[in-house]
Structures are given as C-alpha cells and as structure tokens.
Amino acid sequence: MVCYPLHPVQGALSQADEMASNPIWDFWIDRGGTFTDVIGRDPAGQLHAKKMLSENPRAYRDAAVAGIRALLGLEDGAAIPAGLVNEVRMGTTVATNALLERKGERVTLLTTRGFRDALELGYQARPDIFAREIIKPELLYADVIEIDERVRVDGTIEVPLNDAAVQAVDPRVHPTTEDDWYTEYLDSVIAAKVVQGVDDAIAHIARYGSAHTESIVTEDARAAERFLGRVDSAIVLHNASTQFADGGEFGMGAEIGISTDRFHARGPVGVEQLTSYKYVVRGRGQVRP
C-alpha cells in the first residue's frame, strides 16, 4: 500500500514518490540450461540482478517468471499486476544445447529435394588420410524429408516453397502469422522464414529481432560482412554457434545478465559492466583561465 501526504511539499518528487507514481519495470532475461539470469530495471533506473536455477520444480514452474516475481517483491505464485511491467526481453540457448547434446526430442531435417545427404557428406575431409576406418560425426537429425523448393546462390528463388507439401509432413506445421515473428517460444518450436537474400534477412531481424544475438552461416564473405555491419544486435556471429553469446566465453569470468541496450553496458554483463566510475580531482586553488 502506498500512502500520500494530504499536503504534498511543492518541488521535485522523491525517488520513492517517483516509483509510486510510475511503477514500470523492464526486464532482461538470459535463460541457460543450468541458470537463468534475470536483470530488472526499476522505475528509478536502478538495476537489480537475480540468478535462478533454470529447473527447480519444487520451488517454481518457470524460472523467468519466478525471478520477475522476486525482483518485484511478490509472493510465490502471485499474479503480476497489469501495468507493472513495461517489457520483457529474453534470450535462450536451451533448445540449442539440447540439440547439440542429444538430450532433446528427435529431430527431422527438412531440406531441398536432392540434398538429402548433403550434411552427411559434408566436405569429405579426412583428418587422417591413411586411416582405414573413417569415423563420421554423429548426425543431429534422425530423419530427412525433402521438399520441392530451390533457392539459387544469389538468393533468387527458382522454385517457390510448396507450403502444402510442408504442412503435409506433420499436422503441427502451419503457416506463420505476424505474431509468430514476435514470439519467444522457449520450447521445441520455431518460426522459419525464407528470405530474398541477406538484405531481406537484415530487414526481418531489424523489425522482429530482440537485439540480443544473431548469426549468419555462409561462405560468402561479402554477405557476411554486410550482415555483421548492418544487424544492430548486441552480438553478431559469422559461422559460429549462438551458444558463444555468453559472458564466460567473452572473458568476463561470470555472466550476471545480458543487455540489449545500445549504450553501456551492451551484450553479456559481468561485474565490471555493472559498475561505474567518477573523476576525483584534488587541487590547491587552481582556476581555469
């Protein structure tokens, strides 16, 4: 409960009064396989950090929501009042980790007709040219389905994607809607878009992206440089997994949170990024001419 004086003092509002009159919070969340880091900015602009176990069913159903409740001072399971939160931005590598560690659901690869074995063949590299037994890396997918479509190397669509054929693969496959591009699923669900080249991809990210982490996989150096220079995200990668978007990987020792702001701090946030500085000048009466 917030109590107001009957005769408020004229002048600037105190921090407490400002928070009471405009109780809007912003949250940035990095959900990993082990920990979920929740950074909250209160109405006065102060940052608050909370580290939660990503999986803790005895205490809460969802780490991100539990972290928000904790920073807001709400009891476990309490509803979050409407209008108290301005925005929530979240990034996660959970699905990627599950895929690479083979701990998630079985995966089916949908690819252009004729490219069924392209990933299995790879580059035909032989680390040991004299090896008599070639041990291939384990594939990430359990099955392959070929789809009638074809995109040329310059991004031109030669054969448009057959939506009906794709939807016939699985009843859960359906055309995307505008809302899908804004949704962070936190589940084994994706919304895929076929773009008309790198500029179309950059435009799509600019409109719907979270400004967190984006990656491009290509052998075209010009396309890669254009992507890295034009995509306005805290972290951009070329031919590398988005799993590297981590404070530990960036040499910070430990990641406290993630920021998508364009000014300090941006990207992974460690102890140094959460601190500031001031200038202390000692003199003996000097003046500036």
Side-chain angles (χ1 to χ4, degrees):
M1 179 176 68
V2 179
C3 298
Y4 297 91
L6 294 177
H7 302 286
V9 178
Q10 298 296 321
L13 289 174
S14 68
Q15 179 173 323
D17 290 335
E18 183 179 352
M19 292 180 65
S21 62
N22 186 32
I24 303 297
W25 284 66
D26 294 308
F27 292 96
W28 299 275
I29 303 171
D30 181 23
R31 185 172 187 268
T34 305
F35 293 106
T36 292
D37 297 294
V38 182
I39 302 294
R41 181 169 61 190
D42 66 28
Q46 299 297 313
L47 296 178
H48 307 266
K50 189 74 175 178
K51 184 177 287 290
M52 314 287 292
L53 284 172
S54 294
E55 299 293 337
N56 191 3
R58 293 186 178 182
Y60 43 76
R61 294 178 58 187
D62 183 88
V65 175
I68 291 175
R69 285 198 182 102
L71 291 181
L72 292 176
L74 301 175
E75 296 182 358
D76 294 342
I80 299 176
L84 198 60
V85 178
N86 177 45
E87 71 171 4
V88 177
R89 293 194 176 189
M90 179 178 291
T92 178
T93 58
V94 173
T96 307
N97 294 341
L99 175 64
L100 297 179
E101 295 172 6
R102 279 76 169 178
K103 294 181 179 179
E105 298 290 337
R106 288 165 56 88
V107 175
T108 296
L109 171 66
L110 276 66
T111 188
T112 303
R113 186 168 301 282
F115 286 81
R116 167 181 291 272
D117 52 1
L119 295 182
E120 184 176 1
L121 291 174
Y123 294 101
Q124 292 292 288
R126 297 184 63 178
D128 183 355
I129 194 171
F130 298 107
R132 300 179 62 184
E133 180 183 4
I134 307 300
I135 301 177
K136 296 182 179 180
E138 183 182 355
L139 297 174
L140 295 177
Y141 49 86
D143 195 9
V144 181
I145 297 176
E146 295 178 301
I147 301 296
D148 290 322
E149 64 85 35
R150 188 171 298 277
V151 180
R152 293 180 177 178
V153 69
D154 62 359
T156 303
I157 296 180
E158 181 176 313
V159 179
L161 179 66
N162 187 332
D163 290 338
V166 176
Q167 295 173 48
V169 170
D170 191 297
R172 294 172 296 181
V173 177
H174 57 81
T176 55
T177 65
E178 183 76 5
D179 289 341
D180 288 321
W181 306 129
Y182 291 105
T183 303
E184 181 84 31
Y185 292 103
L186 301 181
D187 200 349
S188 54
V189 178
I190 67 168
K193 177 179 175 62
V194 178
V195 295
Q196 303 283 341
V198 65
D199 286 335
D200 193 15
I202 293 170
H204 181 81
I205 292 171
R207 180 172 181 179
Y208 301 105
S210 65
H212 187 297
T213 302
E214 305 295 344
S215 180
I216 181 173
V217 179
T218 181
E219 295 181 352
D220 186 332
R222 293 181 61 184
E225 289 305 312
R226 189 171 184 82
F227 183 91
L228 298 176
R230 296 292 184 89
V231 172
D232 188 19
S233 291
I235 304 169
V236 288
L237 305 100
H238 174 209
N239 287 350
S241 168
T242 54
Q243 284 185 299
F244 287 107
D246 178 81
E249 296 290 340
F250 283 16
M252 296 178 180
E255 180 178 303
I256 299 174
I258 189 78
S259 171
T260 55
D261 283 350
R262 288 167 176 77
F263 294 98
H264 179 85
R266 191 179 194 193
V269 176
V271 174
E272 182 178 349
Q273 285 69 37
L274 285 180
T275 58
S276 186
Y277 53 84
K278 67 178 180 180
Y279 297 98
V280 178
V281 180
R282 304 181 189 278
R284 295 191 298 272
Q286 292 93 334
V287 296
R288 180 177 179 180

